Amino acid sequence: MKNITLPRHDEVELKGCHDIRHWTACKGCGGLGDQMAMLSYQGAPFHGTCLVKLLDRRTLLKLPASELGKLTLGDTGTPLMRALLNRKATQGTCGHSG
Ligand SMILES: [Zn+2]
């Protein structure tokens, strides 16, 4: 008699799921975050809010547009978001600033 091993339900779920998030620890607060949504600063992952708290506005605005694009209004607050939008308007979104 053949011994058929059926895959366990949870294994199937994991292998078939393309939405597995890559959790990583934020260098700012130590909490976990979704790597895709986190900003990279000096090679380390940060929550948007944590990086906003960590950096002054001038430094923050120098980050590549690819990173700044991950910031939400909730991360930045209105004044900073306005500054970010102004930056995008003047420099474009390619991130190749000087
Ligand atoms: Zn954090």
Side-chain angles (χ1 to χ4, degrees), residues 12 24 41 47 53 58 68 72-73 75 80 86 97-98:
V12 173
T24 188
Y41 177 65
H47 293 122
K53 276 183 217 162
R58 188 181 294 239
L68 292 176
T72 66
L73 188 58
D75 296 331
L80 180 55
N86 286 338
S97 60

Side-chain angles (χ1 to χ4, degrees), residues 26 28-29 47 50:
C26 167
C29 68
H47 293 122
C50 292

Side-chain angles (χ1 to χ4, degrees), residues 8-90:
R8 278 170 46 208
H9 181 66
D10 53 351
E11 284 174 352
V12 173
E13 285 281 309
L14 279 175
K15 281 175 190 166
C17 179
H18 293 281
D19 193 33
I20 295 175
R21 292 175 190 275
H22 297 273
W23 297 101
T24 188
C26 167
K27 262 278 198 283
C29 68
L32 288 179
D34 179 358
Q35 199 170 28
M36 298 305 289
M38 290 172 93
L39 280 79
S40 172
Y41 177 65
Q42 295 184 337
F46 286 88
H47 293 122
T49 46
C50 292
L51 201 58
V52 168
K53 276 183 217 162
L54 182 76
L55 303 178
D56 60 59
R57 182 186 291 200
R58 188 181 294 239
T59 311
L60 201 70
L61 288 174
K62 283 183 187 164
L63 293 176
S66 56
E67 299 303 320
L68 292 176
K70 297 175 191 169
L71 287 172
T72 66
L73 188 58
D75 296 331
T76 62
T78 307
L80 180 55
M81 182 54 84
R82 201 165 280 160
L84 288 172
L85 292 175
N86 286 338
R87 177 191 182 276
K88 281 181 188 171
T90 54

